[in-house]
Amino acid sequence: MERGEEEKIVIVGGGICGLATALALHRKGIESIVLERSENLRATGAAIIVQPNGWRALDQLGIASKLRQTALSIQSGQYITVKDGKKKDLPVGDVGELRCLKRTDLLNALAENLPADTVHLGCKVMSIKLDPSTSYPILQLQDGSVLMAKVVIGCDGVNSTIANILGLNSTRLFSTSVIRGFTNYETGHEFGGAFLVFSKDDVQLGLLPVTEKLVYWFVTRKQTSQDSKASKSQTLIKELTVEAMKDFPIHIMEMVKDSDVDSLHLTDLRFRAPWDLLGSNLRRGSVTLAGDAMHAMAPFLAQGGSASLEDAVVLARCLSQNQTMRVDEKQAKTMINVEAALDQYAKERKMRVFWLSLETFLIGTMLDTSTLLVKSLCIISLMVLFRDKIAHTRYDCGRL
Ligand SMILES: Cc1cc2nc3c(=O)[nH]c(=O)nc-3n(C[C@H](O)[C@H](O)[C@H](O)COP(=O)(O)OP(=O)(O)OC[C@H]3O[C@@H](n4cnc5c(N)ncnc54)[C@H](O)[C@@H]3O)c2cc1C
């Protein structure tokens, strides 16, 4: 099936993946529009760790050099057991380029390189169906309008509406919650370029410097009965987190106490089961998925965002490679063989996101379970399948 250049590519969701996909398409000369339900670009979660595979994708998108100026390079890492002060090196130096970006910096860098009118804010997609006669996707928007698109790319995150049409099951929950935030040190912090993790029982605090003055930190712990109330009050998030830090080193507790309350966010952890990914062909008609909508994975490898950037590069490359020029007596037209392009994309991404999802699933289950047998099975599977712990950072999504 070939389609003409007037056809609109509609990206649902203006998060990291939606904006990156629009930018990747723009770099290849392909127009798209992004429908984002929020009234502004959402940078929830303070910061994001970007590993070498993510930097390779950002290089292809043409925004890496600007972003490098906004974030320190992380050179070393340590895991510290709070009870006895024992320290263990983390393999950070071996990973290669690792930086922690402010989410606003990343979203802005993506958005400001897009043509005006690409991003449509306040546009919530309520449902999607395929037109029975043309098979084109039809989007129902919250304001009552209906949009017939020629291609729909669902970048609408963990609770994706677009994923429904591909028959993917809903995402599932781990029993862990994460609190994330920033602390600003007026006169500079003491952490240099180190990624530190402090651990006590089932509470862990990780911190990474963003700049000489700004530190991003996250706390992982089991969900509590207060979480649903706390997720609506940043002051309560702070109180609960300070409380959870009471046996941690004093400078760590102070860091949480002095954090910027507006940056705090508490979230539960959702994931798409790896076997759901294997069982789906990731395309129905001219609808596909990218980012968390396709491969929501808990952040144990800090790879969800980088994998979303890879999706964007690969998807734009596949659509571009499947373009042909048609000349008739009136005009020249660029046609895209959409289905071939989306199949090529799905084929290229499926095993990459399957292995990432499987590794995070095994780590998450190992941390989640109280059953010794399950824990042991996860540990053995991780040792056998993921012996090289940083292999996932070496992936190269290739040229745009
Ligand atoms: C605690 C935590 C820490 C993380 N840390 C890291 C990390 O350090 N490194 C890393 O690489 N990844 C990390 N991740 C994962 C990363 O945040 C995600 O993979 C990434 O944000 C996915 O981007 P996305 O654009 O696919 O989804 P999202 O960022 O969720 O964006 C989806 C967008 O779609 C919009 N939307 C949703 N529904 C609709 C609709 N119906 N209509 C219109 N718009 C809609 C939303 O408003 C949103 O803007 C972390 C995740 C969590 C939960």
Side-chain angles (χ1 to χ4, degrees):
M1 181 177 48
E2 292 196 330
R3 294 170 180 179
E5 68 181 343
E6 68 283 6
E7 296 168 357
K8 273 266 182 283
I9 297 182
V10 178
I11 296 166
V12 181
I16 294 170
C17 190
L19 296 179
T21 304
L23 180 57
L25 289 168
H26 172 60
R27 298 280 194 227
K28 299 304 284 181
I30 301 173
E31 261 182 52
S32 66
I33 60 163
V34 177
L35 306 180
E36 166 55 45
R37 70 178 169 192
S38 304
E39 294 299 335
N40 38 46
L41 297 178
R42 288 167 67 244
T44 312
I48 183 162
I49 301 166
V50 180
Q51 309 192 56
N53 53 307
W55 285 103
R56 283 189 273 276
L58 289 171
D59 272 323
Q60 292 303 315
L61 293 169
I63 55 170
S65 48
K66 184 177 174 192
L67 286 170
R68 284 189 178 102
Q69 292 163 22
T70 68
L72 291 174
S73 165
I74 305 295
Q75 306 284 353
S76 61
Q78 270 192 335
Y79 183 92
I80 300 142
T81 313
V82 170
K83 267 188 192 151
D84 55 13
K86 269 195 188 140
K87 293 179 180 167
K88 204 170 76 184
D89 283 342
L90 295 170
V92 169
D94 309 335
V95 167
E97 183 169 15
L98 186 98
R99 293 172 202 266
C100 184
L101 294 176
K102 281 173 80 174
R103 285 187 185 245
T104 43
D105 288 343
L106 176 55
L107 288 178
N108 289 342
L110 292 165
E112 69 199 18
N113 281 282
L114 289 171
D117 287 340
T118 302
V119 182
H120 298 251
L121 297 169
C123 290
K124 180 170 180 180
V125 172
M126 303 304 290
S127 65
I128 179 169
K129 61 180 181 186
L130 299 186
D131 183 288
S133 51
T134 63
S135 295
Y136 286 168
I138 303 172
L139 298 170
Q140 172 82 51
L141 273 57
Q142 191 174 34
D143 65 4
S145 57
V146 171
L147 192 70
M148 169 95 74
K150 304 294 169 64
V151 180
V152 168
I153 304 167
C155 299
D156 48 341
V158 288
N159 296 313
S160 172
T161 301
I162 308 304
N164 297 336
I165 202 174
L166 297 180
L168 279 168
N169 291 324
S170 312
T171 49
R172 300 152 195 242
L173 264 179
F174 282 120
S175 66
T176 305
S177 290
V178 182
I179 298 126
R180 291 171 282 175
F182 281 136
T183 302
N184 193 48
Y185 294 79
E186 284 293 310
T187 54
H189 57 74
E190 60 189 271
F191 305 112
F195 172 25
L196 301 180
V197 180
F198 293 84
S199 174
K200 183 171 179 288
D201 304 326
D202 57 3
V203 182
Q204 295 203 326
L205 178 139
L207 70 86
L208 295 100
V210 179
T211 65
E212 273 92 7
K213 292 187 174 176
L214 189 68
V215 174
Y216 164 65
W217 55 263
F218 55 88
V219 173
T220 58
R221 56 148 176 76
K222 291 272 176 218
Q223 281 164 17
T224 72
S225 54
Q226 285 166 299
D227 281 3
S228 78
K229 197 168 157 209
S231 61
K232 294 176 197 96
S233 159
Q234 287 166 312
T235 314
L236 185 53
I237 295 177
K238 193 173 197 169
E239 279 171 23
L240 292 176
T241 316
V242 172
E243 171 67 20
M245 292 292 104
K246 68 175 185 303
D247 296 326
F248 279 58
I250 189 80
H251 67 301
I252 296 303
M253 178 153 39
E254 294 291 331
M255 180 181 74
V256 174
K257 250 190 200 159
D258 295 341
S259 59
D260 169 10
V261 77
D262 292 334
S263 71
L264 299 184
H265 184 69
L266 177 131
T267 184
D268 46 27
L269 296 183
R270 295 203 152 266
F271 67 98
R272 186 168 304 294
W275 50 92
D276 283 353
L277 285 170
L278 275 190
S280 161
N281 74 1
L282 303 176
R283 172 181 77 78
R284 179 155 171 222
S286 55
V287 182
T288 193
L289 300 174
D292 278 9
M294 189 211 290
H295 48 69
M297 59 184 93
F300 305 117
L301 292 177
Q303 275 290 7
S306 290
S308 304
L309 295 167
E310 293 171 8
D311 292 342
V313 171
V314 175
L315 181 48
R317 179 173 68 228
C318 291
L319 284 163
S320 163
Q321 282 174 351
N322 284 278
Q323 281 187 116
T324 47
M325 190 74 98
R326 271 282 164 80
V327 185
D328 59 27
E329 34 331 320
K330 287 193 199 127
Q331 57 181 332
K333 264 190 172 183
T334 309
M335 317 285 283
I336 301 178
N337 186 338
V338 174
E339 293 183 359
L342 299 189
D343 283 342
Q344 190 184 328
Y345 160 73
K347 188 170 173 218
E348 202 172 326
R349 294 305 291 156
K350 191 181 244 185
M351 292 319 287
R352 164 67 174 158
V353 297
F354 168 74
W355 287 116
L356 281 175
S357 301
L358 182 62
E359 192 170 356
T360 49
F361 169 76
L362 290 171
I363 298 171
T365 308
M366 177 185 77
L367 298 173
D368 236 33
T369 186
S370 49
T371 316
L372 192 61
L373 177 67
V374 177
K375 203 181 268 295
S376 309
L377 284 174
C378 289
I379 293 170
I380 293 165
S381 307
L382 283 164
M383 277 165 49
V384 173
L385 296 171
F386 303 102
R387 182 172 290 272
D388 177 355
K389 291 194 177 68
I390 57 169
H392 56 90
T393 69
R394 295 201 193 94
Y395 181 87
D396 187 345
C397 61
R399 294 186 71 84
L400 181 59

